Amino acid sequence: MRSVPIRQLAAPLAAVLVALLLTGSGSAPRSLPAADPLAADLDRLLGDPRLTGAAVSVLVTDAATGEVRYQRAPGALVLPASTLKTVTAAAALDLLGRDHRFSTEVLAAGPRTGAALDGDLVLHGGGDPSLLPADLDTLAGQVAAAGIAEVSGAVLADASRYDAVPLGANWAWDDQAAYYSPQISALTLTTDGDDDVGTVRLTLTPDASPGRPAAVRVTPPEAPVRVSGRVDTGAAGGEDTVRVDRRPGGNEIVLTGSLPAAGGPTEEWVAVDDPARLTATVFTAALARHGVTVRGGVREGQAPGDAVVLATHDSAPLSALMVPFLKLSNNGIAEHLVKEIGRVRAGSGSWTAGLDRVRDFLHRSGLEPTAARQVDGSGLSRQNLMTSQRLVSLLRFARQQPWFATWYDALPVAGDPRRMVGGTLTNRLRGTPADGRVHAKTGSMTGVDALAGYLDRPDGHTLAFSILLNNFAGDTPRPVIDAFVVRLASDGASAAPPSENGGDRHRATHDWEATCLAAARC
């Protein structure tokens, strides 16, 4: 599935805000006293024609006191998309703790004679969603340092910490190659600090001469994938029509389309089939580089009870993993957290066990003011249902918890050009009164756009808000959401137009929320 950058909104936010405030068509406004100018303005904004017939759930409160500043159908059950990640993140911090780490181990299963192991090496996955090829290389170096130079058996890929269910409930079948819809395994691999689990990266470089094929490089190079098809080099200044897909049920990656000559390389991420085998294959290659020969290749299996630990790699603490999780809206991390909660708290690394513990957390915390349904950790499933009232209750509850600073700092910050600060809000609300004042989680998929978080007003008050829009059929109502937030931040003052600079465009095509506008699956 081809990723494309977020396109800049056609009209500056200030113009959108003024135009929307002057129109009142669309969905029926809520009944409020005419003397409330904020409510009247917000009603007009939500009367935008793009929301005609749509489902709208909104709640704005004072974060400290709970005073309702504005509401519209706050108890309506709608799709939350990625705003659901706020629930998963809070539950993980509460149930696992900020210092929780994921450990990957290498174990010897068999007797040793000098430098020879008569048996298998077991690569035991600990659910680490941030495991890199460099980490596997370090583990291989530890095996060599332990004195092992030859393994008569195989490298066993042990993913038994979690169950064998790779995909979430109601995930779209045609997204299985997309990096934002990876197979979930306790033994998996990512290629960089974005922590997109179970993926390989393709670098496509156009030739200097139109008509010739583009060069293709796979990272990691040992990945057990086969590339078929080709990407041609088109005329300089031409259109980028590259499409990268993976055939279902295997690891054949199919390339089509073209790249313009002299346009520079482009990168694509593809979710693989069987991420545990991918990880074990890359580890076996690392062993060879360190002088360790494995006679039996790669197999899947489980470490026996008497296996001896030779090497260990621990992930960064959960507090650090929260940054790519929430800033970049990382689906893989979300689902690893759910299964890890199940494993740690219930002894079963499954969605069922993990989500049961999440519901327990919400219940004992008093965070069930309305009904809801959560079937995964990321919000990718269309079976999820949430209300603005639930999300705002969580936002207010979180402010009183010892893990709040970690959670709050991991939320995207409106308009901040630093990718690991602004995240999915880097290119939104810039140059407006909301610039830098909003810490919030985005969410979008076909027919869904949402934003939930905090807004620090100039008067010193902090608002907790949730805006969930569903079932629109035409243009995205994202300008309405942004104008709504600007109005909350500005007391009716005119908003300055946002900067035309889209912020840090480095690897913008790899941003999951960016992909959603084209793929409509986030």
Side-chain angles (χ1 to χ4, degrees):
M1 185 164 296
R2 175 69 173 146
S3 305
V4 299
I6 295 179
R7 292 180 171 84
Q8 298 297 311
L9 297 177
L13 275 180
V16 174
L17 180 63
V18 171
L20 292 175
L21 289 175
L22 291 176
T23 62
S25 58
S27 54
R30 84 195 237 294
S31 177
L32 279 175
D36 186 345
L38 173 64
D41 286 347
L42 297 179
D43 278 340
R44 291 190 186 98
L45 288 170
L46 295 180
D48 184 88
R50 280 168 287 200
L51 295 179
T52 300
V56 177
S57 179
V58 179
L59 181 60
V60 182
T61 72
D62 186 289
T65 67
E67 176 191 359
V68 175
R69 303 295 301 274
Y70 183 84
Q71 61 181 328
R72 177 178 294 194
L77 284 164
V78 292
L79 286 168
S82 285
T83 60
L84 188 66
K85 290 184 173 73
T86 59
V87 177
T88 303
L93 287 167
D94 192 272
L95 298 172
L96 299 175
R98 288 171 288 186
D99 297 329
H100 182 82
R101 295 174 187 263
F102 300 83
S103 295
T104 304
E105 296 179 328
V106 182
L107 304 95
R112 288 181 57 177
T113 303
L117 172 65
D118 185 15
D120 299 318
L121 270 182
V122 183
L123 182 62
H124 181 258
D128 186 356
S130 62
L131 191 69
L132 292 163
D135 301 324
L136 295 176
D137 190 77
T138 299
L139 286 169
Q142 293 178 37
V143 171
I148 292 180
E150 183 174 356
V151 179
S152 67
V155 168
L156 295 186
D158 184 352
S160 60
R161 183 172 179 83
Y162 298 161
D163 68 7
V165 180
L167 299 173
N170 201 231
W171 287 9
W173 69 268
D174 54 342
D175 276 349
Q176 290 187 37
Y179 72 90
Y180 55 78
S181 184
Q183 295 184 14
I184 305 303
S185 169
L187 180 61
T188 192
L189 192 64
T190 183
T191 61
D192 52 47
D194 282 12
D195 297 342
D196 288 309
V197 300
T199 63
V200 296
R201 184 171 78 247
L202 272 64
T203 303
L204 308 172
T205 305
D207 194 82
S209 302
R212 295 183 59 83
V216 181
R217 185 176 79 251
V218 178
T219 303
E222 307 87 3
V225 300
R226 182 170 72 88
V227 178
S228 65
R230 61 182 259 177
V231 170
D232 291 318
T233 303
E239 186 179 359
D240 178 346
T241 63
V242 170
R243 181 177 174 84
V244 178
D245 208 344
R246 176 174 60 79
R247 294 194 190 281
N251 277 318
E252 180 185 356
I253 298 175
V254 183
L255 306 179
T256 57
S258 67
L259 284 172
T266 187
E267 293 185 317
E268 301 285 342
W269 284 256
V270 182
V272 300
D273 183 68
D274 196 353
R277 177 169 288 275
L278 162 69
T279 309
T281 301
V282 174
F283 176 61
T284 303
L287 288 168
R289 290 194 298 272
H290 285 274
V292 180
T293 301
V294 178
R295 301 296 183 188
V298 172
R299 293 190 290 111
E300 296 186 11
Q302 191 169 342
D306 60 352
V308 177
V309 176
L310 298 174
T312 302
H313 169 76
D314 289 337
S315 73
L318 180 58
S319 58
L321 297 178
M322 281 288 146
V323 174
F325 172 34
L326 293 180
K327 298 288 188 186
L328 305 182
S329 201
N330 186 303
N331 285 352
I333 294 178
E335 308 309 343
H336 274 248
L337 292 180
V338 169
K339 291 198 174 189
E340 186 71 2
I341 288 169
R343 175 71 184 199
V344 171
R345 288 289 183 161
S348 173
S350 66
W351 269 294
T352 298
L355 291 169
D356 280 347
R357 300 288 79 75
V358 172
R359 282 187 285 271
D360 286 347
F361 157 72
L362 295 172
H363 179 71
R364 66 176 165 78
S365 301
L367 297 175
E368 299 173 312
T370 65
R373 182 169 66 214
Q374 181 174 357
V375 302
D376 64 15
S378 63
L380 190 58
S381 174
R382 286 188 171 271
Q383 291 182 5
N384 292 307
L385 290 172
M386 185 58 59
T387 69
S388 283
Q389 191 169 345
R390 272 220 181 197
L391 289 176
V392 170
S393 293
L394 174 65
L395 291 165
R396 296 192 58 237
F397 167 83
R399 283 164 52 93
Q400 309 304 318
Q401 304 311 304
W403 41 260
F404 174 68
T406 298
W407 191 72
Y408 178 79
D409 291 343
L411 292 170
V413 179
D416 196 302
R418 295 168 292 178
R419 189 164 180 269
M420 285 297 186
V421 179
T424 56
L425 284 178
T426 283
N427 301 313
R428 292 175 64 177
L429 299 165
R430 189 173 299 178
T432 75
D435 191 340
R437 294 182 175 274
V438 173
H439 285 62
K441 185 67 199 73
T442 52
S444 54
M445 57 203 310
T446 301
V448 180
D449 212 337
L451 189 67
Y454 305 96
L455 188 155
D456 293 327
R457 286 171 48 85
D459 61 10
H461 288 269
T462 297
L463 302 179
F465 69 90
S466 171
I467 309 171
L468 305 176
L469 308 181
N470 277 207
N471 301 332
F472 51 86
D475 294 338
T476 173
R478 185 163 297 175
V480 179
I481 294 178
D482 288 355
F484 188 101
V485 173
V486 169
R487 177 62 184 88
L488 290 177
S490 60
D491 281 331
S494 295
S499 167
E500 291 301 318
N501 178 4
D504 181 6
R505 305 301 293 174
H506 174 60
R507 287 191 47 200
T509 57
H510 191 38
D511 182 273
W512 188 63
E513 291 287 344
T515 307
C516 75
L517 290 183
R521 298 287 187 198
C522 49

